[in-house]
Amino acid sequence: MSSRSGHHQEYQKHHHPQDHGRTPTRRPAAQHAAAVATAGEGYTLVHAGKQVRFGPVVFWIAVGTVVLLGMWSAATATYFAFRDDVLTRLIARQAEMQYAYEDRISELRAKVDRTTSRQLLDQEQFDQKLDQIMKRQSTLESRATALGAMPDATATGSIKPQGRAEAAPSSGSLKPSPISDTVIFVAPPDREARLESRAPLIAKAQPNQFAKAQGVDNVLVRLQTSLDQVERRQVAALSSVEDNIDSKVRRMRGVISDLGLNMAQLEAAVPRSGMGGPFVPVKLSPDAGAFERQLYRININRAQMQRLNQTLALVPYRKPVVGEVEFTSGFGVRSDPFLGRPAMHTGLDFRAAQGDPVRVTANGKVVSAGWAGGYGRMIEVDHGNGLSTRYGHLSEIGVKVGEYVKIGQVIGAVGSTGRSTGPHLHYETRIDGEAVDPQKFLRAGVRLSAG
């Protein structure tokens, strides 16, 4: 079939008889494009009366190009159609990642804030605990000072021992010297309660270094443990002092009672010269702790013990000579050394060497000092409240009548004057002028010195 016949048929198909006589409407050039007819060797394109012949290769290249362009157009259209969704997803993903990142940053910042707050709180707690420890240390130091300031509970007039190798008293005034085994009230070793180590409290200055090196808890535990040990030692020392003072007070009262002495009369006889001052009542703080209350009790008991010491200073319970006691004759009925008949011996005879010092056994006033018949050279000392002591057979007298003497003061020297068979000291104790056994008082002294 030729190109013309094809064109004619196409023309007849699109033009009806009714269209004759009309002016044909001008159509776009695209509508005048003729169909492509195949020939034996290729393809012919008829358009507006013109024919363009294509070979099969060119034709298929053109068709492929058109297909590719169509596919490209379709892909482009699809891309633009779905681009907004892709971008939206990408933006949403980006926003999600950003939010997650910001959340993580916020979480880390909160964690840092919590850590910082915890550190500040720990530091504050550390400082508070350290302040409490410092206050506790200050309290313990004040307690240690109070313990150290407690005076010795030594009996008034007690004397430290001294060896017997002392020169015999010569003529002239005799000077006082100690009695070897007089009763001495020695305070217990409670003065060692001190804060042994303050070095750990350097942590106050550099807490961070201590916290890094050993840990805050370690430091606080060590400090608390150290202070606990100090406090326990102080409480133990204070309890020991209280027990010791209570025991001494009971023994003193028991001794006075056993000797049959009147406490009120003895206290009234204690000299009160050179004493005075404003009256300041002792008060205990309402918020005082156990340590302060115990210290208050100790001070009260110590004042009582001091008053008893002053009272007992008038009681002749000490030995009048130095060294080991050896009685050559006791108190009571004995065979008279000169007549060989039973006789009352009103005192104790102490064996001693010629010239050994004789010491007064209690505070008092010399009421007699001179020759007294069978006593030979004799000294009598009035201790008040009806108590008195006599020292006979002296080789020398070192005091005068009316002179006040104190415990342990040398008043004479051992001799053999008067009715005596050899050097010794005749010692008497009298109550209201009646001779009593001196050993009763000496045993009281031993009891007081015990413990």
Side-chain angles (χ1 to χ4, degrees):
M1 182 175 54
S2 67
S3 303
R4 290 181 178 272
S5 61
H7 177 72
H8 178 73
Q9 290 178 0
E10 187 69 21
Y11 178 81
Q12 289 295 330
K13 183 177 180 180
H14 292 284
H15 292 84
H16 299 280
Q18 291 84 355
D19 293 334
H20 292 286
R22 290 184 183 178
T23 303
T25 304
R26 187 179 181 88
R27 296 179 182 275
Q31 294 181 2
H32 290 279
V36 178
T38 60
E41 299 84 31
Y43 299 88
T44 302
L45 179 63
V46 179
H47 179 71
K50 296 181 179 180
Q51 296 181 357
V52 179
R53 188 178 182 81
F54 297 97
V57 177
V58 175
F59 177 79
W60 288 111
I61 290 176
V63 171
T65 301
V66 171
V67 171
L68 290 175
L69 289 175
M71 293 175 64
W72 181 82
S73 298
T76 302
T78 302
Y79 169 75
F80 282 107
F82 292 99
R83 184 186 64 172
D84 292 341
D85 292 340
V86 173
L87 291 177
T88 302
R89 290 193 187 95
L90 290 175
I91 293 173
R93 177 62 178 168
Q94 186 69 22
E96 183 180 354
M97 293 174 62
Q98 182 177 356
Y99 294 151
Y101 179 73
E102 291 177 353
D103 291 342
R104 180 60 177 167
I105 291 178
S106 300
E107 181 181 354
L108 292 175
R109 184 179 292 112
K111 186 175 181 180
V112 170
D113 292 341
R114 286 195 300 271
T115 303
T116 304
S117 301
R118 188 180 300 109
Q119 289 177 348
L120 293 176
L121 181 61
D122 291 343
Q123 183 67 36
E124 183 178 358
Q125 292 177 350
F126 177 82
D127 291 339
Q128 291 176 353
K129 292 181 179 179
L130 201 55
D131 288 338
Q132 293 175 357
I133 291 176
M134 293 290 289
K135 292 179 181 178
R136 186 181 177 192
Q137 183 199 24
S138 178
T139 301
L140 293 179
E141 286 180 343
S142 64
R143 291 180 179 181
T145 302
L147 288 174
M150 292 179 63
D152 291 337
T154 306
T156 301
S158 63
I159 301 167
K160 295 181 180 180
Q162 178 174 323
R164 178 168 178 152
E166 181 184 21
S170 58
S171 58
S173 62
L174 301 176
K175 296 183 180 180
S177 58
I179 297 178
S180 64
D181 52 351
T182 54
V183 176
I184 300 175
F185 296 146
V186 181
D190 57 298
R191 311 295 158 77
E192 302 302 325
R194 298 290 186 271
L195 296 178
E196 294 181 349
S197 175
R198 303 179 187 176
L201 292 181
I202 301 175
K204 178 75 174 176
Q206 297 176 338
N208 291 333
Q209 294 181 4
F210 272 78
K212 291 179 181 178
Q214 304 174 3
V216 174
D217 292 339
N218 248 356
V219 174
L220 296 178
V221 168
R222 290 177 59 191
L223 292 176
Q224 291 287 2
T225 302
S226 176
L227 294 181
D228 288 343
Q229 292 175 354
V230 172
E231 186 172 11
R232 283 194 296 270
R233 285 195 296 270
Q234 288 184 346
V235 171
L238 200 63
S239 298
S240 175
V241 172
E242 184 176 21
D243 294 342
N244 189 273
I245 291 179
D246 289 344
S247 176
K248 282 181 170 59
V249 169
R250 286 193 300 269
R251 286 200 301 272
M252 290 179 186
R253 294 185 181 276
V255 164
I256 293 175
S257 177
D258 292 344
L259 292 175
L261 303 176
N262 187 291
M263 176 67 72
Q265 292 179 359
L266 285 175
E267 290 180 348
V270 175
R272 302 187 183 277
S273 59
M275 301 173 64
F279 175 73
V280 181
V282 179
K283 295 182 180 179
L284 184 63
S285 176
D287 57 346
F291 184 92
E292 286 72 20
R293 290 194 295 271
Q294 189 175 16
L295 187 62
Y296 174 80
R297 293 194 305 269
I298 289 176
N299 288 329
I300 297 299
N301 292 339
R302 187 167 52 82
Q304 295 179 358
M305 187 178 68
Q306 184 177 3
R307 187 171 65 252
L308 288 172
N309 280 335
Q310 294 174 348
T311 301
L312 288 173
L314 302 177
V315 178
Y317 61 83
R318 302 157 185 86
K319 291 191 303 181
V321 292
V322 175
E324 295 295 330
V325 176
E326 183 180 355
F327 303 133
T328 57
S329 182
F331 177 85
V333 178
R334 68 171 182 176
S335 177
D336 184 77
F338 292 97
L339 301 177
R341 298 188 325 207
M344 182 66 183
H345 188 226
T346 57
L348 291 177
D349 288 341
F350 289 86
R351 184 186 299 278
Q354 180 77 20
D356 280 353
V358 176
R359 307 173 192 279
V360 67
T361 56
N363 295 341
K365 180 181 178 181
V366 178
V367 294
S368 176
W371 192 271
Y375 288 102
R377 291 188 180 90
M378 187 268 290
I379 298 173
E380 183 174 0
V381 178
D382 182 13
H383 305 289
N385 194 34
L387 285 173
S388 63
T389 52
R390 291 181 178 181
Y391 310 83
H393 307 309
L394 302 178
S395 60
E396 295 181 8
I397 294 176
V399 292
K400 298 179 181 179
V401 175
E403 182 179 345
Y404 285 93
V405 291
K406 294 184 179 295
I407 300 172
Q409 180 177 338
V410 176
I411 57 176
V414 172
S416 186
T417 60
R419 200 165 183 268
S420 170
T421 61
H424 71 283
L425 172 67
H426 177 82
Y427 174 69
E428 293 183 7
T429 55
R430 293 178 174 264
I431 299 179
D432 296 328
E434 294 291 332
V436 296
D437 189 357
Q439 291 194 63
K440 182 178 180 180
F441 289 86
L442 295 178
R443 285 192 295 267
V446 174
R447 178 181 173 186
L448 286 175
S449 63

